[in-house]
Amino acid sequence: MKGVLVLLLWVSVVDLSTQYRYDNVTVDYVPWQLTEFKIEHPRPIGVLTTTSGAPVDIRQTNALNTEPFSNMYHLDDTTHTDVERIPERVVHAKGSGVYGYFEVTHDVSRYTSADVFNGIGKKTPFFGRFSTAIQNKGGNELAREIKGLAVKLYTKEGNLDFLTIHVPVYFYKDPIDFGPTVRSFRRNPKTNIYDSTMVWDFVTQKPVFLHLLMWQNSDYGIPYGYRRMDLFPVHAYEITNKHGESHFVRFNFRTEQGLANLTTAQAQAIASQDPNFFTRDMYNAIANKNYPSWRLDMDVITVEQAAHLDYNPFDVTRLWKKGTYHTVTIGRMVVNKNTDNQFRDMELSAFNPANLVPGIPGPPDNLFRARRFSYRDAHRHRLGPNHDNIEINVPIYRKTYTRDSNPPVRSNMRDAPNYYPNTFNGQEPIIDMSYPNIKINVFDRNSVDLEPIAEFYNHILENDAHRQRLADTTATTLVNVDRRIVKSALKLLSLVDQDLGHRTAVSYRAAQEIANAASKLDTKTRYEPLSRCINLFTQGRLNTPSMKKNW
Ligand code: HEM
Ligand SMILES: *[C@@H]1O[C@H](CO)[C@@H](O)[C@H](O)[C@H]1NC(C)=O
Ligand SMILES: *[C@@H]1O[C@H](CO)[C@@H](O)[C@H](O)[C@H]1NC(C)=O
């Protein structure tokens, strides 16, 4: 007991950051968060109160042998805990929040009048939320699935939200596919387990999905942490300059840490010890002042060009063809601060791709138009009609004619007129010279086009070894899937490319045989070799010099 007291006293006068930062070593700050708090607050931070602010007597911190309902501290705590969960996001439920800034590095005024992108050196703060797409809130970040980053830039012209994923194509272009995708890629309603048969059944009937699935099963599938991936809003955005002239662009956030990925085995090994590795890696990079950054580029085509391409540039299920666009750098995004409260910031953040600013009218395709509605609807369910009044979502400046509803209402525009138009000097609209003067209609073809997938297989994958890894990974997702559906899947892969179909079929047969053999063993026996490895690993870890040594 005495030892513990001495230790705590000692810690309180030492600065953790100098004590534990070794040269060239990334310190894991995660376990030290509370110790750091104590160092910053050498004394208790104040008097304990009930939620209504009444000081709590020490006798109220024990509810035994008393009438529990007259103890407000007890009632308060229990009834608030009862309701502390809110709905998790329907997709991208597992997230982690960060702060940073965006800095303009190039002059792009001839493309967009957006204030946030004009003025070299201009910095705009943002809140960002990294996420993994399919997992539930407590899920495994190392799962092979789409990662995302949503950023909310607090610009002078309102919030600008970019919702990005870590591959440059999307699953589908028809908004009607949203619901079936969310359900088929998630838990089987009876088994409550993710179900490859559902995924492949759906995908074989909607072959357009195969493109993103191929990116996901390739080396691009599992990035080596949130810092080591590129990020794409995917849609082609219309942007306008101050003369109202339009261009179409695809934004690309390119990692300045270098792309890097994990194999399935590496990811599974890490997940067995630390399913929060992505969050930890980001937290520690920031805590160690090794701030991750991304260069923001845009691929540009003119309106003229867009009308004469031999492909649909607004189709999010394909890439723009090489040679049909040029690339312009806008600036740099730097992540440099951990949030001090994940629920307040990350969980309550409400991103909406429709949160755009003058100079960026946004994508004209049907999928995007559906998203303008869908995110609002999701936020109303999850956070309520006033989600934009929650601290993290409030723009720098805002004056609306909307009022009331469920809290938070903030100032509720006080005594200003609550209808428009009015003659009593309520807020007035601007005249935006950049407001687009053309109306774009996108015509989407309904036919199946496997060409972009063949292009990915033959030209984006750099060699046969990578093609083999893609086939192997795809084959493992077919193991134990209904045979009829496996047959359709292999057929579809062959239609994309004979070689892809063949490699996957061979690999599938081998993988299924191994699975059949393994199924004859009971679970404990089957995992015995892996258990032994993990044992060795944990012992090894206990023996490695750790930060504890310096205590
Ligand atoms: C290019 C296509 C898409 C991209 C890049 C994308 C990206 C994202 C990202 C990054 C998030 C996580 C947001 C967060 O961290 O809070 C998200 C959430 C979500 N997405 Fe998408 N998404 C796409 C398509 C769609 C479509 C087509 C729909 C529906 C029509 C949709 C509906 C949703 C919904 C409802 C959420 C949950 C929002 C919430 O509850 O906060 N997404 N998406
Ligand atoms: C840290 O890394 C730098 C550059 O790689 C190297 O020159 C230096 O010797 C390293 N320091 C230690 C203590 O290992
Ligand atoms: C994935 O990682 C391997 C090994 O580090 C590397 O050779 C390859 O280029 C990476 N691929 C991608 C797409 O990042």
Side-chain angles (χ1 to χ4, degrees):
M1 192 60 206
K2 205 172 165 198
V4 171
L5 279 178
V6 170
L7 194 75
L8 292 179
L9 272 176
W10 184 71
V11 164
S12 67
V13 293
V14 169
D15 175 6
L16 197 70
S17 60
T18 54
Q19 188 67 20
Y20 296 106
R21 184 170 295 117
Y22 302 25
D23 276 349
N24 301 354
V25 173
T26 301
V27 175
D28 184 1
Y29 274 91
V30 170
W32 305 107
Q33 187 273 322
L34 284 173
T35 310
E36 285 185 284
F37 181 86
K38 190 181 166 76
I39 291 167
E40 276 168 38
H41 303 92
R43 269 165 239 299
I45 55 173
V47 165
L48 169 67
T49 72
T50 61
T51 53
S52 68
V56 174
D57 181 84
I58 194 159
R59 279 159 293 190
Q60 287 176 277
T61 63
N62 181 335
L64 289 177
N65 307 320
T66 62
E67 209 281 286
F69 298 115
S70 55
N71 180 344
M72 280 317 285
Y73 171 68
H74 161 248
L75 270 194
D76 216 25
D77 195 90
T78 298
T79 57
H80 197 275
T81 308
D82 289 341
V83 297
E84 74 182 24
R85 292 288 172 277
I86 63 168
E88 65 174 41
R89 286 166 174 82
V90 62
V91 289
H92 294 265
K94 176 79 194 277
S96 83
V98 294
Y99 284 97
Y101 64 87
F102 174 80
E103 181 173 8
V104 179
T105 56
H106 290 69
D107 180 5
V108 293
S109 57
R110 57 177 286 228
Y111 300 107
T112 177
S113 61
D115 180 74
V116 60
F117 290 159
N118 275 279
I120 291 173
K122 181 180 290 174
K123 287 186 181 171
T124 303
F126 70 81
F127 175 70
R129 181 178 183 275
F130 288 97
S131 57
T132 186
I134 309 293
Q135 301 295 300
N136 291 104
K137 197 164 153 12
N140 167 23
E141 293 171 344
L142 291 113
R144 183 179 288 277
E145 61 183 40
I146 296 308
K147 311 299 169 194
L149 168 67
V151 292
K152 189 181 285 298
L153 290 140
Y154 304 100
T155 89
K156 287 182 192 139
E157 299 171 314
N159 290 348
L160 172 60
D161 293 2
F162 281 115
L163 284 83
T164 69
I165 56 173
H166 89 279
V167 297
V169 294
Y170 198 61
F171 275 121
Y172 52 89
K173 59 186 163 191
D174 184 343
I176 209 152
D177 288 336
F178 175 66
T181 313
V182 169
R183 293 189 291 277
S184 63
F185 278 69
R186 304 196 70 185
R187 296 171 189 275
N188 173 305
K190 176 160 183 180
T191 64
N192 205 24
I193 293 176
Y194 294 111
D195 190 328
S196 240
T197 295
M198 285 161 52
V199 172
W200 278 110
D201 183 31
F202 186 62
V203 170
T204 47
Q205 294 175 84
K206 293 262 182 184
V208 67
F209 279 72
L210 196 60
H211 194 187
L212 193 150
L213 215 55
M214 292 294 99
W215 280 83
Q216 191 173 297
N217 287 346
S218 76
D219 287 356
Y220 292 97
I222 318 177
Y224 187 12
Y226 288 137
R227 293 184 293 147
R228 313 300 297 270
M229 61 194 196
D230 287 344
L231 292 157
F232 308 94
V234 187
H235 293 269
Y237 283 64
E238 183 190 6
I239 60 173
T240 52
N241 65 21
K242 60 174 187 269
H243 309 296
E245 293 158 352
S246 293
H247 286 84
F248 298 114
V249 303
R250 270 189 154 186
F251 295 106
N252 314 297
F253 293 86
R254 302 286 181 189
T255 173
E256 292 184 329
Q257 290 64 246
L259 272 189
N261 57 82
L262 297 169
T263 63
T264 307
Q266 287 165 338
Q268 287 182 358
I270 295 171
S272 80
Q273 302 292 304
D274 185 10
N276 298 302
F277 163 71
F278 278 47
T279 296
R280 186 188 307 273
D281 176 68
M282 180 58 70
Y283 184 92
N284 284 330
I286 298 168
N288 284 277
K289 301 189 163 51
N290 178 19
Y291 303 130
S293 59
W294 283 259
R295 189 185 72 238
L296 175 59
D297 285 346
M298 54 182 176
D299 297 336
V300 183
I301 52 175
T302 64
V303 178
E304 250 303 273
Q305 277 173 309
H308 296 103
L309 294 169
D310 65 347
Y311 64 93
N312 176 0
F314 303 105
D315 181 348
V316 292
T317 68
R318 61 162 309 135
L319 294 175
W320 285 2
K321 285 191 188 169
K322 279 226 169 71
T324 62
Y325 58 88
H326 67 282
T327 303
V328 175
T329 299
I330 309 171
R332 191 161 172 263
M333 177 175 91
V334 179
V335 166
N336 66 358
K337 193 169 162 255
N338 281 309
T339 164
D340 64 12
N341 191 296
Q342 289 286 349
F343 186 85
R344 183 197 63 205
D345 294 344
M346 183 276 284
E347 202 60 15
L348 295 189
S349 56
F351 299 93
N352 185 341
N355 290 344
L356 298 166
V357 294
I360 310 181
D365 61 292
N366 245 20
L367 188 72
F368 194 85
R369 284 150 71 184
R371 294 178 70 202
R372 285 177 184 262
F373 171 78
S374 178
Y375 287 79
R376 275 192 93 73
D377 188 42
H379 300 329
R380 287 160 66 91
H381 167 64
R382 195 168 63 84
L383 303 169
N386 276 321
H387 53 267
D388 277 334
N389 281 334
I390 297 171
E391 208 176 346
I392 193 71
N393 302 316
V394 174
I396 294 175
Y397 172 94
R398 176 177 59 189
K399 289 198 193 306
T400 72
Y401 283 103
T402 55
R403 294 290 190 279
D404 306 351
S405 193
N406 296 333
V409 292
R410 305 188 84 86
S411 80
N412 207 25
M413 286 300 290
R414 301 183 190 283
D415 54 353
N418 65 357
Y419 57 94
Y420 178 84
N422 66 75
T423 60
F424 292 99
N425 289 346
Q427 62 274 17
E428 291 283 354
I430 58 161
I431 298 166
D432 174 10
M433 298 309 285
S434 76
Y435 200 80
N437 46 28
I438 52 165
K439 169 135 178 40
I440 303 144
N441 276 315
V442 178
F443 178 75
D444 286 299
R445 266 174 228 280
N446 219 348
S447 57
V448 176
D449 184 4
L450 300 180
E451 185 260 351
I453 316 176
E455 171 76 16
F456 173 74
Y457 186 66
N458 288 305
H459 300 294
I460 293 184
L461 298 188
E462 67 286 4
N463 56 38
D464 268 354
H466 196 172
R467 286 180 199 107
Q468 188 60 45
R469 289 195 292 278
L470 166 65
D472 291 345
T473 301
T474 305
T476 61
T477 70
L478 288 167
V479 167
N480 292 341
V481 165
D482 181 311
R483 290 296 166 100
R484 179 176 56 86
I485 291 167
V486 171
K487 240 177 108 183
S488 312
L490 293 174
K491 171 126 188 259
L492 176 60
L493 292 162
S494 294
L495 287 174
V496 170
D497 188 286
Q498 283 281 331
D499 180 65
L500 171 63
H502 179 70
R503 281 180 201 265
T504 312
V506 171
S507 184
Y508 159 73
R509 281 195 290 273
Q512 187 63 64
E513 243 170 63
I514 293 169
N516 292 346
S519 71
K520 298 197 178 77
L521 306 172
D522 83 290
T523 303
K524 238 170 112 178
T525 319
R526 198 186 324 158
Y527 283 97
E528 195 45 45
L530 191 56
S531 314
R532 257 180 279 132
C533 280
I534 290 175
N535 252 339
L536 278 175
F537 172 77
T538 4
Q539 280 159 15
R541 197 168 56 170
L542 291 178
N543 293 336
T544 43
S546 75
M547 282 173 38
K548 279 228 173 72
K549 265 191 128 169
N550 267 19
W551 279 81

